[in-house]
Amino acid sequence: MIILSGGTGTPKLLDGLKEILPPEELTVVVNTAEDLWVSGNLISPDLDTVLYLFSDQIDRKKWWGIENDTFRTYERMQELGVEESMRLGDRDRATHIIRSNLIRGGASLTEATVKLASLLGIDASILPMSDDPVSTCIETLNGVMHFQDFWVGKHGEPDVLGVDIRGVSEASVAQKVMEALEKDDRVLIGPSNPITSIGPIISLPGMRELLKKKKVVAVSPIIGNAPVSGPAGKLMQACGLEVSSMGVAEYYQEFLDVFVFDERDRADEFAFERLGCRACRADTLMTSTEKSRELAEFVVGLFDTVF
């Protein structure tokens, strides 16, 4: 199974999937449009979240970073008057240093990610969406800023006028992602931000056409008229989409076969039929590993019963 992932929402679902499926059956294609260089090292937040999840290191209170990490390097830099745009943990920083040294030595982002997964003892296939640089920029009243500056630096507070995924039209789907899609017809789009987490992946040239040939199931990150977490609502609105499960389904309409939305959502499941997809209700609020496992079992079952 191929899973398209961003941060937070989809990793929670992956937490359940890795409990019920052998790791060699899982290929996670991860958004890299939020990557940026900090203090000479490449930070790839969504990739790192997935790596830390599969290596059982993730901080489950935040759903990013390494559990019980320290921040002595970051704090020492502040003492010396050097500000970093992100608060990086010491053990987390080691990941960035290894990745960056591999890339400076000529490795692609895919090769560096595969190496990191090996070092962390991960058997699942974790892949960046592309080996080419892509950056999500947020257009605000205060000017255009990188997504990390908007979300981490400004806490998602500025009004959003638009979203620009820079470099995506010139980028290519990573070769190993292409190979995975040739071998597996099952694609699961996790409940991550549709605009800035999944959007860059499906905006890569040729990706939508590839997905049209697959069995695609998507899980909504929206309950009612609000995202479970993160700035998805504000970003969807800026892109002209209704902030609802229906708005998410419409965004994926071109290639979507089955849409899973929350049992608490008042949306009419039959209304999704006009989009050409089947809709199913489930408990998508993953408040524990057991809840994640239950949703994972439900979603995996759809591939066996619907298609």
Side-chain angles (χ1 to χ4, degrees), residues 194-195 199 202-203 208 241 246-255:
I195 304 299
I202 63 177
S203 295
R208 284 186 171 89
L241 293 170
M246 181 62 74
V248 177
E250 287 178 343
Y251 189 60
Y252 299 149
Q253 176 181 2
E254 191 176 354
F255 46 75

Side-chain angles (χ1 to χ4, degrees), residues 35-44 73-78 81-89 92-101 104:
D35 294 11
L36 76 167
W37 289 81
V38 176
S39 297
N41 294 308
L42 179 61
I43 317 300
S44 192
T73 302
Y74 175 83
E75 291 162 358
R76 178 59 174 161
M77 291 180 72
Q78 282 196 313
V82 178
E83 291 289 336
E84 289 186 308
S85 58
M86 302 181 75
R87 186 170 182 262
L88 303 174
D92 181 35
R93 194 182 294 267
T95 300
H96 310 319
I97 292 172
I98 294 168
R99 172 190 295 120
S100 304
N101 283 339
R104 278 189 282 264

Side-chain angles (χ1 to χ4, degrees), residues 20 36 39 59 119-120 146 197 208 236 287 293:
I20 65 173
L36 76 167
S39 297
D59 185 335
L119 292 172
L120 293 170
H146 189 279
S197 290
R208 284 186 171 89
M236 288 178 67
T287 54
R293 180 184 178 121

